Amino acid sequence: MHLLEYSKDEEPLITSFDDDKLPPYAILSHRWGEEAEEVSFEDIAGNAGKDKSGYQKIQFCGEQAKRDNLQYFWVDTCCINKANKAEHSVAIRSMFRWYCNAARCYVYLSDVSALASGDERDARSLLWDSEFRHSKWFTRGWTLQELLAPRVVEFFSRHWRKLGDRVSLKSQIHEVTTIPHEVLEGSPLFQFSVKEDAAYSLSGIFNVDMAPVYGEGAEQAFGQLHDKIRKQEEHLRKQEECLRDLRATNPRNDKKRIEDTKGGLLVDSYRWVLDNTAFQEWRNEQHSRLLWVKGDPGKGKTMLLCGIIDKLQRSIPRTALLSYFFCQQTDARLNSATAVLRGLLYMLVQQQPSLVSHIRKRHDHAGRDLFEDANAWVALTEMWADVLQDPSLNTTHLVIDALDDFITEQSSTSSRVKWIVSSRNWPEIETQLERAERKVRLSLELNTESVAAAVNIFIRRKVDQLAQDKQYKEELRHAVLRHLTLNANDTFLWVALVCQDLTRVKANRHVLRKLALFPPGLNALYKRMMQQMSDSDDAKICRCVLASTAIFYRPVTVSELVALVEQLEDVSDDVREIISLCGSFLTLREDTVYFVHQSAKDFLFAKAYDEAFPDGSEAVHQAIFLRSLAILSKTLHRDMYSLEAPGYPLENVKLPRKDPLAVSRYPCVYWVNHLYKSKAFISSVGGLQAADVVNDFLRKKYLYWLEGLSLCNSVGKGILSIEKLWSLVQLVQDARRFIMYHKGAIEGYPLQTYASALLFSPTRSLIRQLFQHEEPEAISIRPALSEGWSACLQTLEGHSSEVRSVAFSHDSTRLASASWDWTVKIWDASSGACLQTLEGHSNSVWSVAFSHDSTRLASASDDSTRDGDVRVYICEVFATSKLREARLCCDLLLNREHTALRGKLCSVRRVGILYQIRLLRRRGAYFQKLSRY
């Protein structure tokens, strides 16, 4: 056994002992952090690892051991040589004995806080009691033995504050784990029945709800435990899958990227807003729900929000929620209303997991399509409304850097939710926000003194950095500082762009002359930068890069840029230099190309369109379309990730170190978008019709494209692309039937594209004939199939019993189905995704019908409570202007007498939502078709 002790120089050293000659030692129980931050056996042996965050735990354990007069201590991260597999295996088998033989066990709870001073009674106060009960330490696989095996177990907070021991905290531990008090007090384990208590105590460890039934026997107890654990694992699996599909981006990562791209968050540049009257009113007044921060481009709105978020994170109660989203207009994935809601929901659910139930009830039926198909916005707004109106929702703060209609509609929905939004001074936004209630305005243009002071602080920082990097003399430093201060016009972005350009001046004697060329104002500066770029020897290629980046649907990597822009082929080694020449418009962050600001992209389209797009933006789209198909034709093939087995699930796929799709991901998802924007389908492309080009690609690469879409988690977007091509190419009609029919298999298992999808397609399917060589050879008995596709477009699965009635909405976008399983389901007619499941009937549903405007649905059921009675449930299916379904709007008990029936129906008509309901009498042999009276 390896133990640690401190040398004379207070450095931890590894000492080895035979197991039968072990000295007294302390042992640590803790949760691992990031593996790269934990100190390893090799680190201790090489006197390294002190800069890792895990080193603090080793120091704590050693110092506490000293206080307990113990020379030696043991920490699993660095006392096991994992490089030696035999030693590692022995250590795993010896773990219980090592904890049992320890003189003391220190439990370090990294997610529990306590007072820095005070007696032990203060430390056990309610300030940390709740955190202790919910500590993730209790959910570890090793916790049970590390809690029960040692003679003395002591608990410490993340601040090294002692909370108590196993005996003094036995009540809390028992409530968390259900382990009997006697066991926690040290009674020998053999005195207790392991037949049932073993299972019951494990229920707390595995976080499952299991009521003890003493006398049921060990087999039944463990059977119940295994069943509970299996259900819990299935629940967690579905929850993780739901969060993975919901996540379009992680706003936390976006915030850090934005801050890093802009040179870091300068506290003094946003501190003023914290004392601003408008912010204080929003913060302190319960009735103030919405803080609207507005200002012109480049005034620092985004960084201001970053600073406010940091302040809120430090100051709001631990139970309060904070969610935010940075809308990126230059990235199509992050500039839509659906992206905003997905980002906000993702952060809220991570902080309060119980809220995921509002998403799960739809996601379990629809899967990823719930967030990506044509009706994603409808579904998301309904889920969003459910979350905001959840009675258990904690106090919530929402911060968004862009505006949309739903914000004005939702800002006063819940008294527990406060909003902060930022926007430009645009009339249409002004009009929208005028409708919002309980709002407070914070105009940057009306706080010029505060903004000017913040900009001046930013200028001093940038100039100091320039002076240090370029070795300015004090006179030059002062001249640059004065020029920027006089010309910045309270605009952070102008200062940043000028300073960025000054970094390229090689000789300091040219700085002042260069500085004088920069005009005040963003548009004037962009114009100057455009002229400067046009005067360079690489003007043509810079223009191509700039124009291409402006029309991409998301930021692309350098390798993708080189592949998609033909002009970069011969200068691929110098592409970063080319991007730097476009530096006033583009920036490079972690090998990905971004616009420096939305205003830069706006300038290209509004002020420099003819220069950036001399042949029109359609020509650039056309070039990207052709390059995309060329890339895909070269890189797509069967089993690109070497999965081999057709049943290999996508969720288990690991990204290869050398990704075969590295340059194919963007064209795989977006080539159809560029085709449509290019308008090439109405003109010839290099002497060929676009239809011929696409037709040739689909004939040769269609199945490989589907595999690529699956590996890119973009089958849903692929379906939308096929829909766009529906009327363009004859082959697309067969391709559309193929993907719609086999969507489920391809989406979950990429290689089923070549197995079940081909085998169960009609024998005369064009796709099957073109890719006959990809059919699995090992299958000798093949299913008998029709020659052509049947009249069935899709098979919608989800009901657990016979379907009794179906109805299309009048706009043909949705389909309703009624079943003997007492439910009504609403389907997206295009993608086949289940949008809603309406519950409430207590018997089979016989009929459904949409209203004329397709915003409402009526359902009739045989919910009889006595002979011959029929209950009618009328449920609403809302359009985009609505936010949630209304369950059981009206419940009618219809009697046999026609007059009574007529009276009841008249009362429904006044509600205004009855339309063509079919009623079946329980013992009758006929239907009655009832229209409006």
Side-chain angles (χ1 to χ4, degrees):
M1 182 181 186
H2 301 304
L3 293 174
L4 295 171
E5 65 172 329
Y6 278 110
S7 67
K8 294 180 180 179
D9 299 326
E10 294 298 309
E11 299 289 345
L13 299 175
I14 296 177
T15 308
S16 301
F17 295 90
D18 293 332
D19 280 8
D20 57 348
K21 296 180 181 179
L22 290 173
Y25 61 92
I27 200 164
L28 183 69
S29 176
H30 66 110
R31 287 174 57 232
W32 278 47
E34 293 292 332
E35 188 165 356
E37 292 298 318
E38 296 290 354
V39 179
S40 65
F41 183 92
E42 292 79 6
D43 289 332
I44 296 295
N47 193 24
K50 296 180 182 179
D51 57 335
K52 296 183 177 181
S53 58
Y55 191 79
Q56 295 177 348
K57 289 184 284 190
I58 297 174
Q59 287 181 306
F60 154 71
C61 188
E63 291 168 5
Q64 187 61 39
K66 280 185 180 180
R67 285 192 284 270
D68 292 329
N69 297 316
L70 295 171
Q71 180 180 351
Y72 300 96
F73 59 100
W74 186 92
V75 181
D76 59 348
T77 61
C78 57
C79 289
I80 302 175
N81 184 5
K82 300 177 186 63
N84 187 324
K85 294 185 178 180
E87 180 180 321
H88 191 196
S89 177
V90 171
I92 296 295
R93 295 196 300 272
S94 305
M95 204 72 72
F96 184 89
R97 178 163 41 86
W98 288 351
Y99 274 90
C100 190
N101 293 335
R104 288 178 180 271
C105 176
Y106 306 137
V107 178
Y108 173 62
L109 304 176
S110 60
D111 53 359
V112 178
S113 59
L115 298 175
S117 60
D119 58 25
E120 192 168 299
R121 181 177 299 176
D122 290 334
R124 290 200 305 270
S125 68
L126 292 177
L127 290 174
W128 60 266
D129 186 79
S130 176
E131 293 180 351
F132 178 86
R133 294 171 189 267
H134 292 89
S135 174
K136 292 185 178 179
W137 179 81
F138 286 106
T139 66
R140 300 165 58 247
W142 292 98
T143 291
L144 185 62
Q145 74 169 23
E146 294 174 15
L147 176 62
L148 300 182
R151 285 166 287 180
V152 178
V153 180
E154 297 173 316
F155 294 86
F156 295 82
S157 73
R158 66 169 174 262
H159 303 300
W160 323 125
R161 179 66 178 161
K162 183 177 178 180
L163 307 175
D165 57 30
R166 187 174 60 197
V167 176
S168 65
L169 297 172
K170 64 182 179 183
S171 296
Q172 292 96 323
I173 298 173
H174 170 73
E175 290 180 19
V176 175
T177 65
T178 72
I179 297 174
H181 287 85
E182 295 86 347
V183 173
L184 297 173
E185 290 172 346
S187 297
L189 292 175
F190 63 80
Q191 293 182 5
F192 297 86
S193 170
V194 298
K195 293 181 179 179
E196 298 166 356
D197 281 341
Y200 301 149
S201 64
L202 284 171
S203 68
I205 299 298
F206 286 104
N207 193 30
V208 296
D209 185 15
M210 180 177 170
V213 184
Y214 287 100
E216 65 175 337
E219 184 176 351
Q220 288 78 8
F222 272 100
Q224 184 186 171
L225 175 65
H226 290 156
D227 185 57
K228 293 283 187 180
I229 293 174
R230 181 187 61 77
K231 291 181 178 178
Q232 177 78 346
E233 289 176 344
E234 178 66 12
H235 170 76
L236 292 175
R237 184 190 67 78
K238 288 186 176 181
Q239 186 158 310
E240 290 176 359
E241 182 180 333
C242 179
L243 285 177
R244 184 172 63 248
D245 290 346
L246 173 64
R247 180 190 182 277
T249 184
N250 187 335
R252 296 182 182 88
N253 296 339
D254 292 333
K255 177 176 178 289
K256 185 178 186 306
R257 171 177 55 78
I258 289 169
E259 291 177 356
D260 292 346
T261 301
K262 294 178 181 292
L265 184 59
L266 186 59
V267 176
D268 290 335
S269 67
Y270 72 82
R271 195 194 306 273
W272 68 270
V273 77
L274 305 179
D275 298 321
N276 183 271
T277 304
F279 179 80
Q280 288 293 325
E281 179 182 347
W282 172 85
R283 182 75 188 279
N284 300 323
E285 298 295 336
Q286 180 62 28
H287 70 275
S288 297
R289 306 274 178 79
L290 172 63
L291 174 64
W292 173 22
V293 180
K294 61 175 186 172
D296 292 331
K299 295 292 185 179
K301 296 184 294 297
T302 299
M303 298 300 274
L304 197 68
L305 292 192
C306 289
I308 291 176
I309 289 170
D310 287 352
K311 173 64 177 179
L312 292 175
Q313 286 175 329
R314 295 190 300 267
S315 60
I316 62 176
R318 292 181 60 86
T319 57
L321 308 180
L322 172 62
S323 183
Y324 49 85
F325 191 88
F326 291 88
C327 190
Q328 305 288 286
Q329 295 297 329
T330 55
D331 188 341
R333 300 168 303 174
L334 305 178
N335 66 2
S336 66
T338 56
V340 174
L341 281 186
R342 289 174 70 176
L344 294 177
L345 284 170
Y346 178 74
M347 289 193 69
L348 288 179
V349 168
Q350 279 196 320
Q351 297 169 72
Q352 190 174 336
S354 63
L355 298 175
V356 78
S357 61
H358 300 294
I359 306 172
R360 281 278 309 277
K361 64 185 179 183
R362 294 173 174 85
H363 179 269
D364 287 353
H365 293 288
R368 179 186 292 272
D369 286 343
L370 178 67
F371 311 119
E372 295 181 350
D373 66 17
N375 295 301
W377 172 245
V378 180
L380 282 165
T381 51
E382 291 171 351
M383 290 183 284
W384 179 252
D386 288 341
V387 167
L388 292 191
Q389 295 176 19
D390 189 318
S392 69
L393 178 70
N394 295 336
T395 301
T396 301
H397 299 81
L398 303 173
V399 184
I400 312 172
D401 79 331
L403 292 176
D404 202 79
D405 289 336
F406 82 93
I407 295 177
T408 58
E409 295 174 0
Q410 294 290 319
S411 58
S412 58
T413 299
S414 173
S415 60
R416 289 165 291 170
V417 180
K418 282 179 170 284
W419 300 70
I420 301 179
V421 297
S422 69
S423 77
R424 296 185 183 183
N425 291 312
W426 283 352
E428 55 267 34
I429 296 178
E430 295 268 1
T431 302
Q432 289 178 17
L433 280 179
E434 284 303 324
R435 302 196 304 267
E437 300 176 358
R438 302 173 182 178
K439 60 180 175 290
V440 182
R441 290 183 179 85
L442 198 165
S443 173
L444 300 185
E445 278 67 36
L446 297 179
N447 289 271
T448 54
E449 186 175 340
S450 298
V451 175
V455 172
N456 287 338
I457 292 171
F458 181 69
I459 290 173
R460 285 196 294 272
R461 176 180 176 180
K462 299 297 288 185
V463 172
D464 287 344
Q465 186 176 346
L466 271 173
Q468 181 179 351
D469 294 343
K470 308 294 288 186
Q471 297 183 343
Y472 288 174
K473 293 182 179 179
E474 181 57 29
E475 182 180 355
L476 180 58
R477 177 191 168 280
H478 180 74
V480 173
L481 179 65
R482 184 173 183 276
H483 183 90
L484 294 178
T485 304
L486 292 175
N487 293 275
N489 290 337
D490 304 338
T491 305
F492 288 90
L493 181 57
W494 186 91
V495 176
L497 292 175
V498 171
C499 290
Q500 176 182 281
D501 210 65
L502 289 178
T503 60
R504 304 190 187 99
V505 180
K506 296 181 180 180
N508 288 348
R509 65 181 180 275
H510 300 312
V511 168
L512 294 180
R513 181 180 60 82
K514 182 78 170 178
L515 196 59
L517 298 177
F518 298 123
L522 274 180
N523 281 340
L525 180 61
Y526 286 140
K527 185 176 181 180
R528 163 64 189 161
M529 298 298 189
M530 198 75 179
Q531 181 61 46
Q532 182 176 307
M533 186 183 70
S534 299
D535 292 339
S536 71
D537 294 334
D538 295 304
K540 184 177 180 180
I541 194 170
C542 285
R543 188 184 299 112
C544 292
V545 169
L546 207 55
S548 300
T549 307
I551 66 165
F552 286 142
Y553 289 91
R554 66 161 171 81
V556 297
T557 64
V558 171
S559 58
E560 287 174 327
L561 182 67
V562 172
L564 290 166
V565 180
E566 182 179 2
Q567 291 79 0
L568 289 175
E569 280 186 342
D570 298 330
V571 292
S572 57
D573 295 336
D574 302 321
V575 64
R576 285 174 174 78
E577 181 182 348
I578 299 297
I579 295 172
S580 69
L581 292 175
C582 307
S584 300
F585 294 92
L586 304 179
T587 184
L588 198 58
R589 169 73 180 162
E590 295 180 352
D591 212 40
T592 299
V593 185
Y594 299 90
F595 266 91
V596 295
H597 195 264
Q598 176 61 28
S599 61
K601 184 175 179 180
D602 292 342
F603 174 84
L604 288 181
F605 283 96
K607 306 291 184 181
Y609 183 86
D610 292 339
E611 189 172 355
F613 306 98
D615 299 319
S617 59
E618 293 85 359
V620 183
H621 279 290
Q622 181 173 305
I624 299 299
F625 154 63
L626 291 174
R627 292 289 292 183
S628 295
L629 286 193
I631 293 167
L632 296 178
S633 297
K634 184 184 299 183
T635 59
L636 295 182
H637 59 83
R638 178 173 178 149
D639 198 5
M640 286 170 279
Y641 279 11
S642 302
L643 306 181
E644 297 181 0
Y648 199 98
L650 180 65
E651 60 190 30
N652 294 341
V653 173
K654 304 296 183 184
L655 191 68
R657 186 173 61 178
K658 190 174 181 180
D659 185 6
L661 292 174
V663 298
S664 304
R665 289 182 174 274
Y666 182 90
C668 201
V669 176
Y670 295 108
W671 71 268
V672 176
N673 299 67
H674 287 292
L675 168 62
Y676 258 68
K677 286 288 187 179
S678 71
K679 300 180 180 178
F681 54 87
I682 60 175
S683 63
S684 61
V685 178
L688 294 174
Q689 291 295 324
D692 297 330
V693 177
V694 174
N695 190 69
D696 184 64
F697 170 75
L698 294 179
R699 285 178 175 274
K700 297 176 180 177
K701 296 291 182 176
Y702 181 65
L703 290 193
Y704 313 134
W705 178 42
L706 295 188
E707 181 193 341
L709 285 169
S710 181
L711 292 171
C712 294
N713 284 302
S714 297
V715 172
K717 293 180 180 178
I719 290 177
L720 296 178
S721 295
I722 290 293
E723 288 289 336
K724 289 181 180 181
L725 290 172
W726 169 251
S727 60
L728 177 60
V729 184
Q730 181 182 2
L731 179 60
V732 172
Q733 298 181 21
D734 190 78
R736 178 177 181 270
R737 298 298 301 274
F738 189 93
I739 191 172
M740 294 299 294
Y741 196 84
H742 303 296
K743 170 181 175 289
I746 296 172
E747 196 166 37
Y749 306 88
L751 296 191
Q752 287 294 349
T753 305
Y754 313 99
S756 61
L758 283 177
L759 285 175
F760 290 97
S761 293
T763 56
R764 288 194 176 181
S765 160
L766 292 176
I767 296 300
R768 180 168 183 172
Q769 292 177 11
L770 290 170
F771 293 92
Q772 188 173 4
H773 60 284
E774 294 291 5
E775 290 186 17
E777 298 177 356
I779 299 178
S780 56
I781 301 177
R782 304 190 175 224
L785 295 167
S786 61
E787 292 185 350
W789 294 101
S790 69
C792 177
L793 296 177
Q794 300 179 61
T795 300
L796 308 181
E797 300 179 357
H799 285 296
S800 60
S801 188
E802 181 180 348
V803 176
R804 305 297 298 175
S805 177
V806 293
F808 268 104
S809 63
H810 293 279
D811 58 5
S812 298
T813 62
R814 283 169 290 173
L815 180 75
S817 58
S819 171
W820 273 31
D821 63 8
W822 306 358
T823 66
V824 174
K825 290 184 180 292
I826 312 297
W827 310 84
D828 175 65
S830 176
S831 68
C834 180
L835 303 177
Q836 292 177 311
T837 298
L838 307 181
E839 299 173 343
H841 287 292
S842 59
N843 210 327
S844 304
V845 185
W846 291 93
S847 184
V848 288
F850 279 94
S851 61
H852 279 297
D853 59 3
S854 299
T855 62
R856 301 181 182 117
L857 179 77
S859 59
S861 169
D862 190 359
D863 295 351
S864 302
T865 56
R866 61 181 185 274
D867 185 32
D869 295 335
V870 179
R871 287 183 184 271
V872 179
Y873 290 86
I874 301 175
C875 302
E876 292 198 23
V877 182
F878 291 108
T880 55
S881 61
K882 303 292 185 180
L883 292 175
R884 51 189 295 116
E885 72 184 60
R887 298 279 178 85
L888 193 59
C889 295
C890 184
D891 184 355
L892 299 180
L893 184 62
L894 304 181
N895 298 319
R896 286 186 177 182
E897 291 78 6
H898 186 72
T899 55
L901 177 65
R902 184 184 185 94
K904 292 293 185 181
L905 286 173
C906 286
S907 67
V908 176
R909 188 184 65 79
R910 287 195 294 271
V911 178
I913 53 178
L914 180 66
Y915 173 72
Q916 298 284 312
I917 303 178
R918 291 183 178 272
L919 303 176
L920 175 68
R921 290 197 176 279
R922 189 178 182 88
R923 293 185 177 179
Y926 61 91
F927 282 97
Q928 282 188 323
K929 186 174 182 180
L930 304 175
S931 301
R932 293 182 182 271
Y933 280 81

